[in-house]
Amino acid sequence: MSQPLSDDANSSTPRDPAPSSTSTLKAIIHHSRLNNTNLNFSTSVEGPISITQLFIRRSRLSTTIEALPPSPPLLSQHGTGYDLTNSVFSPDGRNFQVEYAVKAVENGGTAIGIRCKDGVVLALEKLVTSKLLKPNANKRISTIDRNMGVVSSGLLPDARHFVSRSREEAASWRQMYKAPIPVSALADRMGQYTQAYTLFSSVRPFGVTSIIAGWDSEAEVGVDGQVGSGPSIGAGGKQDIKKKGGPYLYMIEPSGMYWAYYGAATGKGRQSAKSELEKLDLAAGELSLEQGIKEAARIIYVAHEDSKDKEFELEMCWVSSLAGPTKGRFEEVPKDLREEAEKLAKKAIEGDDDEDEEKMET
Amino acid sequence: MDCHPEVWGRPRYEIYGDYDHSHLHTSGPMQHTQQPIVTGTSVIAVKFKDGVVIAADNLASYGSLARFTDVKRLRKFNSQSVIGFGGDVSDMQYLDRTLGSLDTNENYSNSDQPLHARNLHTYLSKVMYARRSKFDPLWNAILVAGLDGEDMPFLASVDLLGTKFSSPTLATGFGAHLAVPILRRTVPDEEAVQQTTKDQAVELVKESMKVLFYRDARSLDNYSIAVITKESGVELKENEKLENQSWAFADQIRGYGTQVN
């Protein structure tokens, strides 16, 4: 059998001892690319190569391994194979597939969440990809149960699957406990679910970072289907305990990592959105829901500044306390409120521009 | 100690031979609900020109024992429909949860049109008929009151067999015998519905509830009443008390025939 490779003259460094046939094949291909030459298998088969043929050829190659000349060391981590499969650790302990999923998220429209004193706001920069799309249709913020919502950026179908699973989790919690799922429990379950998609090579990680917002009811919620109030005194009589309830905001990343946040941002404009969120001093818990709406609209507009040439649509949903405007339910922000917030946002941005111009002039 | 509970206390097999284990088979054929246990009695309802009035008392009986006295059997579904349940209370709770998840799932579809009373009645009738066809009925008689797709008053019934019908006046259970004749005096047909005001309808229903309390041994004088109109949605009052009962004449009654005083 003839020598299968023709280029070997430039190689001088010694090879690793006893490489496997697979890595050898890759190394050969890599090597030949580096040297800008063609692999020239001297076989009699013409046309496209089937898998079986490849195996045969590889086994033939492996018989000639001993005869192969040394090849140069591999330069970068890419091409070493650690990024080709989900659930595989690289030598420095990373899962590259998850990091690539994060790249998909970073291409998506900006999504933010703001936890206010008396509720939570979710907002999304929905990029308009075609003039043929109907305005205010194709909603991207979804309701979970009645008191929670999810917004995500990244791959839309992945987001839909995430939402669908969240709804199943909320429904199964009700089935089991006859009560609504607490936001923290939903975040935990969805975190677990997302993380499971980093454990197997047969699946790919989620291409979305999702923000979950909700309000746990501050009122005593009866058991689903409950009739009557039970004994008013004595054994089984209820004590009047004030439930805490309140606003919650979580963000879940493709790795399955999640934290609770005062303000969360993801997608293309996350950097500028985050720095705007930090200015709000949300930890003080002073920002009202109405104010939160306005800030959310402004932040989406600020985050959009970098890709100004593209059209976008603002989508906003909110949830408040029982005493608040949504009565503990997760809903779309009413049109007039949203438009007012948008008007203020545009004004704020133009104001910034004016200031900049003034500075330029002076 | 013998680890098989089924032989505890039985004659020792080395002396009396093997125990006949066929005696332990108690399962038999699969059994579904054969009878209601904790029950609610009548639900009554009447249409008037702008809406519907529906009422049911707050009692859940355990046989002849008036066991639970604060069981609310009218369920507000959304701003335009109320469902009144008679019959088994656990099945009512099941239906309430089912309708709750239906409501949640409908909300997901982002449609501007919420489910109205006619939708609910259709849904319930299919659930009821499917269950009876599995020989495992939900032991209820149900009235659905509210507004239909055109905001017109809607009132219809469905029961454990999946039988459904509609009428300007409806009542389940005992009420079908006692309340319907009274209601029909004022509201015999759809034409009369147009002549009936809200106040008249409410008064009529309250009067019928009183008659039912007089005559139905499984009834209570605490009741819930709901009025559904387009203008003010659902007005549900859950702790009403029967008023102006007439018992004074009882003083005059002596003995069972010939006794004079």
Side-chain angles (χ1 to χ4, degrees):
Chain A
M1 194 181 156
S2 62
Q3 191 67 268
L5 291 173
S6 56
D7 69 311
D8 51 354
N10 300 335
S11 312
S12 54
T13 40
R15 289 189 60 80
D16 294 335
S20 76
S21 60
T22 320
S23 60
T24 312
L25 183 64
K26 273 179 194 151
I28 290 163
I29 293 166
H30 189 78
H31 184 191
S32 68
R33 279 195 196 133
L34 281 182
N35 292 290
N36 207 11
T37 52
N38 291 323
L39 276 177
N40 185 13
F41 295 97
S42 56
T43 55
S44 55
V45 187
E46 295 291 324
I49 310 162
S50 74
I51 300 269
T52 14
Q53 283 166 345
L54 198 63
F55 268 107
I56 296 164
R57 286 180 187 196
R58 213 166 66 180
S59 58
R60 276 190 201 157
L61 269 178
S62 64
T63 59
T64 63
I65 277 171
E66 300 312 318
L68 281 178
S71 63
L74 301 171
L75 298 174
S76 72
Q77 282 199 310
H78 295 279
T80 49
Y82 295 114
D83 66 338
L84 296 175
T85 311
N86 187 22
S87 92
V88 165
F89 277 124
S90 78
D92 48 356
R94 293 153 65 179
N95 183 342
F96 283 113
Q97 283 291 309
V98 167
E99 291 179 25
Y100 295 159
V102 172
K103 295 265 185 250
V105 170
E106 289 170 0
N107 290 330
T110 314
I112 62 164
I114 304 178
R115 181 179 174 275
C116 307
K117 184 170 62 179
D118 44 0
V120 197
V121 187
L122 291 184
L124 172 72
E125 170 207 32
K126 193 161 62 188
L127 298 167
V128 179
T129 49
S130 161
K131 282 207 163 63
L132 299 173
L133 288 169
K134 186 180 168 194
N136 296 320
N138 304 312
K139 297 291 184 209
R140 287 275 308 265
I141 307 183
S142 312
T143 310
I144 312 295
D145 208 302
R146 298 315 288 259
N147 62 323
M148 293 169 291
V150 167
V151 64
S152 11
S153 57
L155 303 181
L156 179 54
D158 285 25
R160 293 241 171 85
H161 177 72
F162 186 92
V163 164
S164 152
R165 176 69 184 200
S166 302
R167 286 172 176 172
E168 280 170 24
E169 290 293 351
S172 85
W173 182 282
R174 271 195 189 269
Q175 189 89 352
M176 182 73 96
Y177 301 109
K178 310 284 180 259
I181 185 171
V183 185
S184 57
L186 180 77
D188 180 64
R189 285 191 170 195
M190 292 316 294
Q192 305 264 12
Y193 186 69
T194 310
Q195 190 266 348
Y197 278 73
T198 67
L199 297 176
F200 307 94
S201 59
S202 53
V203 295
R204 64 171 175 79
F206 275 85
V208 286
T209 288
S210 301
I211 303 175
I212 298 179
W215 179 278
D216 283 351
S217 180
E218 69 273 39
E220 174 81 25
V221 184
V223 173
D224 279 3
Q226 174 180 310
V227 294
S229 50
S232 54
I233 47 161
K238 270 188 190 167
Q239 267 184 305
D240 217 10
I241 301 170
K242 182 95 180 75
K243 276 189 73 179
K244 266 184 95 178
Y248 290 91
L249 181 68
Y250 288 87
M251 183 161 75
I252 303 178
E253 290 168 36
S255 60
M257 187 182 78
Y258 69 94
W259 301 106
Y261 289 89
Y262 289 117
T266 180
K268 199 175 273 172
R270 68 198 172 287
Q271 294 298 358
S272 46
K274 270 182 199 165
S275 63
E276 290 296 321
L277 283 168
E278 279 161 15
K279 286 181 205 159
L280 291 179
D281 189 22
L282 294 165
E286 293 299 320
L287 192 76
S288 75
L289 190 56
E290 309 280 336
Q291 202 58 41
I293 292 280
K294 288 168 188 160
E295 293 295 350
R298 189 180 60 79
I299 291 170
I300 290 293
Y301 271 84
V302 167
H304 185 70
E305 286 289 274
D306 298 333
S307 45
K308 229 174 179 175
D309 48 324
K310 287 186 195 120
E311 289 278 302
F312 83 102
E313 208 174 76
L314 175 68
E315 201 181 318
M316 282 202 292
C317 288
W318 61 347
V319 59
S320 77
S321 66
L322 285 175
T326 79
K327 300 183 176 57
R329 295 198 161 191
F330 186 84
E331 288 170 355
E332 205 174 316
V333 173
K335 195 167 168 242
D336 50 338
L337 256 179
R338 193 194 71 215
E339 279 168 357
E340 193 201 331
E342 274 190 274
K343 209 156 73 187
L344 288 172
K346 280 176 194 159
K347 212 164 151 189
I349 284 181
E350 278 162 19
D352 283 354
D353 287 351
D354 292 346
E355 279 170 32
D356 291 346
E357 279 160 26
E358 279 163 30
K359 276 176 201 162
M360 294 281 276
E361 282 162 20
T362 51
Chain B
M1 175 146 179
D2 196 329
C3 63
H4 299 294
E6 69 270 21
V7 300
W8 294 351
R10 309 250 179 242
R12 295 175 60 183
Y13 75 94
E14 62 269 34
I15 296 167
Y16 297 100
D18 278 339
Y19 183 75
D20 181 4
H21 284 276
S22 66
H23 294 305
L24 291 171
H25 295 163
T26 53
S27 58
M30 195 202 289
Q31 295 196 333
H32 293 310
T33 311
Q34 306 277 313
Q35 57 183 343
I37 305 298
V38 176
T39 58
T41 184
S42 328
V43 186
I44 64 173
V46 60
K47 283 206 272 191
F48 61 96
K49 63 176 178 176
D50 305 314
V52 193
V53 186
I54 183 170
D57 68 27
N58 292 346
L59 178 67
S61 309
Y62 180 74
S64 58
L65 174 66
R67 179 66 184 81
F68 304 103
T69 53
D70 65 343
V71 171
K72 312 296 172 359
R73 297 190 289 123
L74 297 186
R75 290 297 190 162
K76 179 183 166 182
F77 186 73
N78 52 30
S79 63
Q80 52 184 23
S81 34
V82 169
I83 300 171
F85 294 88
D88 192 83
V89 168
S90 56
D91 285 349
M92 159 184 159
Q93 290 175 303
Y94 167 80
L95 280 169
D96 191 50
R97 283 197 292 270
T98 307
L99 291 173
S101 71
L102 175 73
D103 184 41
T104 305
N105 286 324
E106 275 301 306
N107 185 244
Y108 291 158
S109 63
N110 261 330
S111 95
D112 297 330
Q113 193 124 54
L115 288 177
H116 46 73
R118 191 184 291 280
N119 297 144
L120 285 179
H121 179 252
T122 309
Y123 179 84
L124 279 172
S125 67
K126 283 166 194 294
V127 169
M128 299 301 272
Y129 180 68
R131 286 294 295 265
R132 92 91 190 248
S133 301
K134 283 191 247 175
F135 292 91
D136 187 16
L138 294 164
W139 220 285
N140 296 107
I142 300 168
L143 295 189
V144 182
L147 304 171
D148 65 9
E150 275 86 47
D151 283 337
M152 298 301 286
F154 175 86
L155 176 60
S157 75
V158 60
D159 65 9
L160 73 166
L161 300 174
T163 310
K164 51 174 181 166
F165 49 85
S166 184
S167 165
T169 60
L170 276 176
T172 70
F174 225 91
H177 301 98
L178 288 183
V180 165
I182 299 169
L183 298 171
R184 276 191 187 162
R185 278 209 300 253
T186 315
V187 191
D189 49 24
E190 285 291 343
E191 245 172 73
V193 169
Q194 296 309 317
Q195 311 301 321
T196 313
T197 65
K198 174 179 161 183
D199 291 343
Q200 278 175 312
V202 169
E203 204 43 53
L204 193 59
V205 165
K206 284 186 174 173
E207 196 58 33
S208 308
M209 287 305 287
K210 195 154 72 183
V211 172
L212 283 169
F213 179 59
Y214 287 153
R215 307 274 176 190
D216 180 357
R218 304 283 170 271
S219 66
L220 196 68
D221 53 351
N222 274 316
Y223 67 99
S224 308
I225 185 165
V227 182
I228 308 111
T229 53
K230 192 190 168 193
E231 286 69 38
S232 36
V234 172
E235 299 165 88
L236 175 62
K237 285 181 268 185
E238 291 194 311
N239 283 307
E240 295 295 283
K241 188 92 178 163
L242 284 180
E243 284 162 353
N244 303 322
Q245 289 180 42
S246 153
W247 295 105
F249 68 93
D251 269 355
Q252 313 303 318
I253 300 171
R254 298 275 187 278
Y256 294 91
T258 54
Q259 187 182 338
V260 196
N261 46 35

